[in-house]
């Protein structure tokens, strides 16, 4: 149906057009009539017609002036200008205003009907195209989650080239390209329940994803999707790779916010593994592999925390890990330095794939060489010294090739595997010890300031949560207890060797509030700072004498 607005200062002209339409095209509806340009603009705003029949010569505001105003107000409206003056200037300006047609008065009925029929066909075709486009947009909107998921999985698996990355990112409307991968794993997800409860399990995963999306919403262009098993993948974009420490701090804070949000709003917790940034988005598979390895360390250090690839000095996970679940479990056990799990995995692999071949030397030698290669690669990924590993693998391979007995080969590969695990454990302990000693040196230099755990963690390039757990593991006391003990030791020395006031000593050992310092001191030493000074540090003996 065509909706028309007729504007002419002659009532008879308007009546004639109405009569013609009622007789020839009753399906076309006249929604309003106007007598001048001013009414044309007001009525156009109110009724928003499809077509306006607009006389040019009218009082108050002529049709051309009204046409200019209506074009601004209704960009898509069709305007048909009518005039009794066959002047080129009028026709020229009407065309400039986007007139659909220009007709001379008196307008022949068949000409007007022909024009309106043509416009009705144009409008109908446009509406059809718009409806079709709307359907496509709605379908596309419905498919966007799957499109995003496919894009993320292609990126982290390395199945996408540089130009395609840009094209697909542009299609998804990303303001900048993803450059860093994060793996978010549910820590304490209940074991898969009976089928009737699977809906509850999926609802919980959806809620965790919603929390992730809420926390990452201030980061334009971030992509959060369900990952493998009970994990989620998060890709973050940024334009510049300068200032990587600042980037790491920002991403770590985001990870901590995700952990806190999931902890507060769901019955589960998550561990956030963060990979390193890459220069080329097509290399995101590397960042993902680092994040996937980092998140595995929750099995060693506990969940509900952020673990950066730099925290555990990981290398990207090898793509050559054997396809069998036992092979993957063996590689994981070596990376984590889990001696018992590595022994069990080896026994299972031998039982399933070696003994079944009747223990023939060619079979078990090839299999054991493959196992040694997988375990060595996992040890390298975990930060073991490459020279140590290379020498050991070379010697171990030569020894395996000389053995003819399956029992001897089993003992040899078991011994070599345990050696690899020990090297991983030793390398990790040395690294952790070095990092914590560096942190302790920083604490000793800065304990007199208002020193926070976050500041010390930044100094050694660890996330605060991971640093806190590592500090306690290495020093057998938590950060705040160690800092307090160090401050108290210095306070006792100042009390016994100087004339500084208690207030000044409190300030010198990092306490702004002298009263609070006194409370902490008494809790640690069993007496006030003043009493400690008076007794020369022998307040316990003084109490016994009393």
């Amino acid at each position: 149906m065509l909706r028309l607005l007729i504007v002419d200062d002659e009532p008879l002209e308007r009546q004639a057009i109405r009569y013609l339409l009622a007789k020839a095209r009753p399906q076309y509806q006249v929604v309003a009539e106007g007598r001048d340009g001013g009414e044309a603009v007001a009525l156009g705003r109110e009724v928003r017609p499809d077509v306006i029949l607009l006389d040019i010569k009218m009082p108050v505001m002529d049709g051309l002036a009204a046409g200019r105003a209506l074009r601004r107000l209704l960009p898509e409206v069709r305007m048909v200008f009518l005039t009794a003056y066959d002047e080129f200037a009028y026709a020229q300006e009407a065309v400039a205003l986007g007139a659909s047609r220009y007709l001379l008065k008196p307008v022949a009925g068949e000409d007007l009907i022909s024009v309106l029929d043509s416009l009705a066909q144009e409008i109908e075709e446009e509406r059809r195209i718009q409806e079709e486009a709307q359907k496509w947009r709605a379908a596309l909107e419905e498919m966007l989650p799957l499109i995003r998921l496919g894009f993320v999985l292609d990126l982290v698996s390395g199945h996408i080239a540089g130009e395609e990355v840009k094209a697909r990112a542009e299609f998804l409307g990303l303001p900048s390209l993803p450059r860093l991968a994060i793996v978010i794993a549910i820590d304490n997800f209940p074991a898969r329940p009976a089928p009737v409860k699977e809906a509850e399990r999926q609802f919980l995963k959806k809620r965790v994803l919603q929390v992730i999306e809420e926390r990452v919403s201030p980061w334009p262009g971030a992509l959060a999707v369900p990952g493998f098993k009970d994990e989620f993948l998060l890709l973050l974009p940024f334009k510049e790779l300068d200032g990587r420490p600042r980037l790491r701090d920002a991403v770590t804070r985001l990870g901590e916010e995700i952990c806190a949000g999931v902890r507060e709003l769901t019955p589960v917790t998550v561990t956030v593994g963060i990979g390193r940034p890459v220069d080329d988005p097509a290399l995101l598979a590397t960042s993902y592999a680092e994040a996937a390895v980092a998140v595995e360390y929750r099995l060693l250090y506990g969940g509900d925390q952020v673990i950066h690839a730099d925290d555990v000095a990981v290398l990207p996970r090898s793509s050559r890990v054997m396809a069998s679940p036992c092979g993957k479990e063996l590689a994981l056990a070596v990376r984590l330095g889990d001696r018992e799990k590595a022994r069990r995995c080896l026994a299972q692999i031998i039982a399933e794939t070696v003994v079944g071949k009747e223990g023939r030397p060619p079979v078990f030698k090839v299999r054991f060489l493959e196992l040694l290669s997988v375990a060595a690669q996992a040890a390298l990924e975990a930060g073991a010294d490459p020279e140590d590993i290379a020498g050991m693998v070379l010697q171990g391979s030569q020894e395996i090739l000389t053995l003819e007995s399956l029992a001897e080969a089993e003992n040899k590969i078991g011994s070599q595997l345990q050696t690899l695990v020990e090297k991983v454990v030793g390398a990790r302990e040395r690294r952790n010890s070095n990092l914590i000693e560096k942190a302790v040196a920083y604490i000793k230099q800065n304990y007199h300031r208002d020193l926070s755990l976050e500041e010390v963690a930044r100094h050694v390039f660890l996330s605060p949560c991971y640093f806190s757990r590592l500090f306690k593991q290495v020093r057998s006391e938590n950060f705040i207890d160690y800092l307090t003990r160090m401050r108290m030791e210095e306070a006792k020395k100042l009390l016994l060797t100087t004339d500084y006031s208690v207030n000044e000593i409190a300030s010198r050992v990092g306490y702004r509030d002298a009263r609070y310092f006194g409370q902490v001191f008494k809790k640690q030493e069993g007496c006030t700072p003043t009493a400690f000074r008076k007794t020369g540090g022998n307040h316990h003996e003084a109490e016994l004498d009393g």
Side-chain angles (χ1 to χ4, degrees), residues 190-310:
R192 189 171 297 278
V196 71
K197 294 292 185 180
E198 182 61 19
E200 296 178 14
R201 181 184 176 89
Q202 295 303 324
F203 177 80
L204 180 56
K205 289 178 69 172
K206 182 178 180 180
R207 184 69 189 106
V208 172
L209 180 58
Q210 287 172 340
V211 173
I212 295 170
E213 291 171 338
E214 289 166 4
R215 294 303 185 272
V216 82
S217 58
W219 200 300
L223 292 170
V225 301
F228 309 104
K229 295 183 179 178
D230 298 324
E231 296 179 348
F232 303 89
L233 304 179
L234 175 59
L235 301 186
L236 296 181
F238 45 89
K239 293 181 180 178
E240 301 297 335
L241 291 180
D242 296 334
R244 292 199 183 198
R246 290 195 300 275
L247 172 64
R248 172 177 167 152
D249 287 346
V251 176
T252 299
R253 284 195 299 272
L254 172 62
E256 291 168 349
E257 290 171 5
I258 290 172
C259 285
V262 173
R263 186 189 318 120
E264 293 167 7
L265 300 174
T266 77
V268 298
T269 62
V270 296
T271 296
V272 177
I274 301 174
R276 301 179 179 98
V278 295
D279 298 282
D280 184 351
L283 301 177
L284 266 168
T286 301
S287 183
Y288 163 71
E290 293 169 346
V293 172
V295 86
E296 288 173 350
Y297 277 79
R298 66 192 171 129
L299 302 176
L300 186 64
Y301 296 118
D304 194 19
Q305 64 169 315
V306 178
I307 303 177
H308 196 284
D310 290 339

Side-chain angles (χ1 to χ4, degrees), residues 27 132 187 190 287 415:
Q27 68 271 29
E132 196 70 23
D187 297 320
S287 183
S415 173

Side-chain angles (χ1 to χ4, degrees), residues 47-65:
V47 301
R48 307 187 77 82
D50 300 316
V51 176
I52 302 176
L53 301 178
L54 194 58
D55 189 17
I56 290 181
K57 282 293 188 177
M58 294 184 295
V60 183
M61 178 189 290
D62 65 27
L64 295 177

Side-chain angles (χ1 to χ4, degrees), residues 162-421:
E163 288 304 316
E164 188 180 353
V165 173
K166 294 179 182 178
R168 289 172 67 175
E170 184 178 349
F171 173 78
L172 288 170
L174 301 182
S176 52
L177 297 175
R179 301 282 185 85
L180 183 143
I182 295 175
V183 174
I184 302 163
I186 299 179
D187 297 320
N188 48 345
F189 211 38
R192 189 171 297 278
V196 71
K197 294 292 185 180
E198 182 61 19
E200 296 178 14
R201 181 184 176 89
Q202 295 303 324
F203 177 80
L204 180 56
K205 289 178 69 172
K206 182 178 180 180
R207 184 69 189 106
V208 172
L209 180 58
Q210 287 172 340
V211 173
I212 295 170
E213 291 171 338
E214 289 166 4
R215 294 303 185 272
V216 82
S217 58
W219 200 300
L223 292 170
V225 301
F228 309 104
K229 295 183 179 178
D230 298 324
E231 296 179 348
F232 303 89
L233 304 179
L234 175 59
L235 301 186
L236 296 181
F238 45 89
K239 293 181 180 178
E240 301 297 335
L241 291 180
D242 296 334
R244 292 199 183 198
R246 290 195 300 275
L247 172 64
R248 172 177 167 152
D249 287 346
V251 176
T252 299
R253 284 195 299 272
L254 172 62
E256 291 168 349
E257 290 171 5
I258 290 172
C259 285
V262 173
R263 186 189 318 120
E264 293 167 7
L265 300 174
T266 77
V268 298
T269 62
V270 296
T271 296
V272 177
I274 301 174
R276 301 179 179 98
V278 295
D279 298 282
D280 184 351
L283 301 177
L284 266 168
T286 301
S287 183
Y288 163 71
E290 293 169 346
V293 172
V295 86
E296 288 173 350
Y297 277 79
R298 66 192 171 129
L299 302 176
L300 186 64
Y301 296 118
D304 194 19
Q305 64 169 315
V306 178
I307 303 177
H308 196 284
D310 290 339
D311 291 343
V312 289
V314 300
L315 297 173
R317 184 159 45 189
S318 172
S319 60
R320 298 175 58 239
V321 173
M322 24 175 101
S324 71
C326 288
K328 294 178 181 178
E329 286 296 309
L330 175 65
L332 175 59
V334 173
R335 278 199 298 272
L336 297 180
D338 190 332
R339 302 172 182 85
E340 182 58 27
K341 183 174 183 178
R343 186 192 63 75
R344 290 197 308 270
C345 289
L346 176 62
Q348 187 172 353
I349 291 171
I350 291 174
E352 291 178 355
T353 63
V354 176
V355 176
K357 298 294 184 179
E358 301 175 356
R360 289 178 288 129
V363 175
F364 69 68
K365 287 180 182 180
V366 170
R367 189 58 169 163
F368 286 166
L369 288 174
E370 182 185 10
L371 286 173
L372 183 60
S373 174
V374 169
Q377 179 63 38
L380 289 173
E381 292 166 5
D385 183 80
E387 291 187 9
D388 285 351
I389 300 301
M392 195 203 122
V393 170
L394 180 61
Q395 180 181 349
S397 300
Q398 292 171 343
E399 291 175 352
I400 288 173
L401 290 173
T402 64
L403 298 174
E404 295 299 324
S405 163
L406 175 59
E408 288 180 330
E410 285 184 26
N411 290 334
K412 179 58 66 177
I413 190 68
S415 173
Q416 292 168 342
L417 191 60
Q418 290 301 313
T419 301
L420 284 171
V421 172

